[in-house]
DNA sequence: CGTGTTTGACCCGCGC
DNA sequence: GCGCGGGTCAAACACG
């Protein structure tokens, strides 16, 4: 484990102290009652949180379903139109709906166009199969567009784009051509301290250096968002780290995100992040502080 | 001298 | 058809 984990541990509250103390004093009936009350309260809170989580999941599923329906409708509408043959579509211009749109441009009457489109779609399917975006927190003064994600990259271009004053760097996996993964790195328009890395494709090889990736600067992974919030972006400073990633609108991406979570290390990181988020939440810490002081007060009263 | 980066030129899709 | 803009190439350059 690295500095992140340790920093997370440092910022967390040691909740085991109270537990050991409670065990020592569990002889008192008053204490038992208080403990039962506390247990009931915590259980109720837990139940409430579970309900909230269930509600959130339901809302997410509903939204996701609506999105899928919308995408399907769009595709049908596109298919219904006698649209001119589409030329190559730039991967940079299709954001969230990239893979879903692929099916929408498949119909054409011309044989030449068919051949062309099929070829292009095959390429697109390969390229767009996995397009994920990761946000890395870095210093705004840091002008390098280098993101240490464990893999080795070879820079092959840099370009200033119209929509963003900061240049965009183009990287290919160092294992190319055997591995055709590409990466684009550009600073966020909204927050110059955030690097937006767009990954295209999937590595067909393990990380060249697990040591680097483990000791590296960017292993703090967060799932679910689609844009860097200032809160997420400001969680830490100094080091480049992914703060937001994975576009959930793409089914394959969902698969990739869940598979990422399957890794025990990532799970641990997620748990740490949750704990960190909780301990950083002023409401939570205030409530916790109130509970602890209340508990101490009860103990003092019981001892008298 | 080998390897990686920089950067201007070029290619090509797309909109007008 | 033309111009714009994103993406890629490759020669020149820097560095260890």
């Amino acid at each position: 484990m690295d500095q992140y984990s340790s920093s997370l541990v440092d910022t967390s509250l040691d909740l085991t102290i109270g537990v050991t103390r409670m065990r020592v004093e569990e002889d008192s009936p008053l204490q038992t009652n208080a403990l039962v009350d506390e247990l009931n309260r915590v259980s109720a809170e837990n139940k409430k949180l579970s309900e909230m989580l269930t509600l959130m999941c339901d809302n997410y599923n509903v939204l996701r379903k609506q999105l899928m329906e919308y995408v399907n409708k769009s595709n049908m509408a596109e298919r219904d139109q006698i649209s001119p043959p589409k030329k190559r579509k730039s991967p940079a211009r299709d954001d969230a709906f990239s893979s879903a749109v692929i099916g929408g441009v498949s119909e054409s009457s011309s044989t030449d166009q068919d051949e062309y489109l099929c070829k292009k779609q095959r390429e697109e399917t390969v390229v767009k199969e996995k397009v994920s975006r990761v946000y890395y927190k870095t210093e705004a003064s840091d002008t390098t567009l280098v993101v240490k994600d464990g893999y080795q990259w070879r820079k092959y271009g840099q370009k200033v784009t119209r929509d963003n004053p900061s240049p965009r760097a183009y990287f290919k996996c160092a294992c190319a051509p055997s591995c055709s993964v590409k990466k684009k790195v550009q600073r966020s328009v909204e927050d110059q301290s955030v690097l937006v890395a767009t990954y295209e494709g999937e590595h067909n090889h393990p990380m060249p250096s697990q040591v680097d990736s483990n000791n590296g600067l960017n292993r703090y992974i967060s799932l679910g968002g689609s844009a860097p919030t200032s809160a997420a972006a400001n969680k830490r400073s100094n080091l480049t780290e992914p703060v937001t990633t994975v576009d959930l609108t793409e089914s394959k991406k969902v698969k990739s995100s869940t598979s990422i979570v399957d890794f025990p290390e990532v799970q641990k990181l997620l748990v740490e992040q949750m704990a960190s988020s909780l301990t950083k939440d002023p409401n939570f810490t205030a409530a916790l502080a109130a509970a602890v002081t209340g508990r101490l007060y009860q103990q003092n009263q019981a001892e008298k």
Side-chain angles (χ1 to χ4, degrees):
Chain A
M1 271 306 166
D2 57 2
Q3 47 195 319
Y4 280 140
S5 312
S6 57
S7 70
L8 284 169
V9 171
D10 289 341
T11 55
S12 64
L13 298 170
D14 188 359
L15 300 174
T16 58
I17 297 167
V19 175
T20 52
R21 243 187 114 166
M22 282 179 209
R23 274 187 191 158
V24 173
E25 297 166 355
E26 69 186 357
D27 294 334
S28 160
L30 202 76
Q31 284 296 313
T32 311
N33 285 338
L35 279 173
V36 169
D37 286 347
E38 187 66 13
L39 189 63
N40 288 336
R41 194 185 63 79
V42 170
S43 298
E45 207 166 307
N46 189 22
K47 193 180 172 185
K48 195 178 170 185
L49 286 170
S50 299
E51 285 169 3
M52 286 171 69
L53 185 63
T54 309
L55 194 68
M56 279 177 64
C57 288
D58 288 346
N59 287 340
Y60 166 73
N61 286 331
V62 168
L63 282 172
R64 184 171 153 70
K65 195 178 169 185
Q66 285 176 353
L67 178 68
M68 287 306 170
E69 283 171 4
Y70 173 77
V71 170
N72 284 339
K73 274 183 193 172
S74 304
N75 290 345
M76 293 293 283
E78 263 187 65
R79 226 171 297 183
D80 289 345
Q81 290 173 356
I82 306 173
S83 56
K86 296 276 180 188
K87 290 178 185 177
R88 186 180 73 184
K89 199 170 191 317
S90 167
R93 288 178 198 165
D94 43 86
D95 292 326
F97 308 100
S98 53
S99 74
V101 172
I102 290 171
V105 291
S106 60
E107 309 299 327
S108 173
S109 55
S110 159
T111 52
D112 283 348
Q113 284 169 2
D114 267 348
E115 199 178 344
Y116 177 78
L117 285 174
C118 284
K119 190 183 170 187
K120 285 297 172 189
Q121 281 164 24
R122 270 198 301 272
E123 290 170 4
E124 286 176 349
T125 307
V126 170
V127 171
K128 293 180 182 177
E129 203 165 359
K130 266 202 183 259
V131 180
S132 61
R133 198 173 295 175
V134 181
Y135 298 89
Y136 292 89
K137 175 73 180 147
T138 182
E139 278 190 38
S141 57
D142 186 9
T143 55
T144 61
L145 290 168
V146 176
V147 162
K148 292 173 185 172
D149 51 15
Y151 287 96
Q152 290 191 329
W153 300 92
R154 182 185 298 270
K155 189 177 180 181
Y156 67 91
Q158 182 164 317
K159 201 77 172 170
V160 177
T161 56
R162 202 182 159 205
D163 56 338
N164 194 334
S166 57
R168 175 185 297 168
Y170 299 89
F171 296 91
K172 277 179 186 171
C173 181
C175 297
S178 65
C179 177
S180 59
V181 180
K182 287 178 193 170
K183 176 173 83 168
K184 287 178 280 190
V185 180
Q186 190 172 30
R187 294 198 173 276
S188 169
V189 187
E190 299 119 27
D191 190 347
Q192 292 288 302
S193 65
V194 174
L195 286 175
V196 183
T198 307
Y199 294 86
E200 293 176 10
E202 203 172 358
H203 292 282
N204 55 10
H205 57 91
M207 270 189 196
S209 167
Q210 286 291 338
V211 174
D212 282 353
S213 70
N214 288 336
N215 292 333
L217 304 176
N218 334 302
R219 48 191 313 272
Y220 198 78
I221 298 168
S222 150
L223 303 172
S226 60
T229 61
S230 58
N234 293 327
K235 268 194 290 194
R236 283 175 190 77
S237 59
N238 243 343
L239 308 168
T240 55
E241 65 183 67
V243 292
T244 316
T245 182
V246 182
D247 191 337
L248 295 176
T249 56
E250 196 173 330
S251 59
K252 280 168 185 171
K253 239 176 268 178
V254 171
K255 193 184 164 198
S256 82
S257 68
T258 51
S259 64
I260 285 170
V261 179
D262 287 342
F263 289 107
E265 192 180 339
V266 177
Q267 281 182 342
K268 195 176 176 183
L269 281 168
L270 285 171
V271 169
E272 285 169 351
Q273 189 195 358
M274 286 176 198
S276 177
S277 301
L278 280 175
T279 54
K280 281 174 184 171
D281 184 353
N283 292 330
F284 176 79
T285 50
L288 191 63
V292 169
T293 51
R295 176 82 195 127
L296 288 173
Y297 178 73
Q298 279 183 356
Q299 283 178 355
N300 286 337
Q301 294 289 70
E303 283 169 8
K304 282 180 185 174

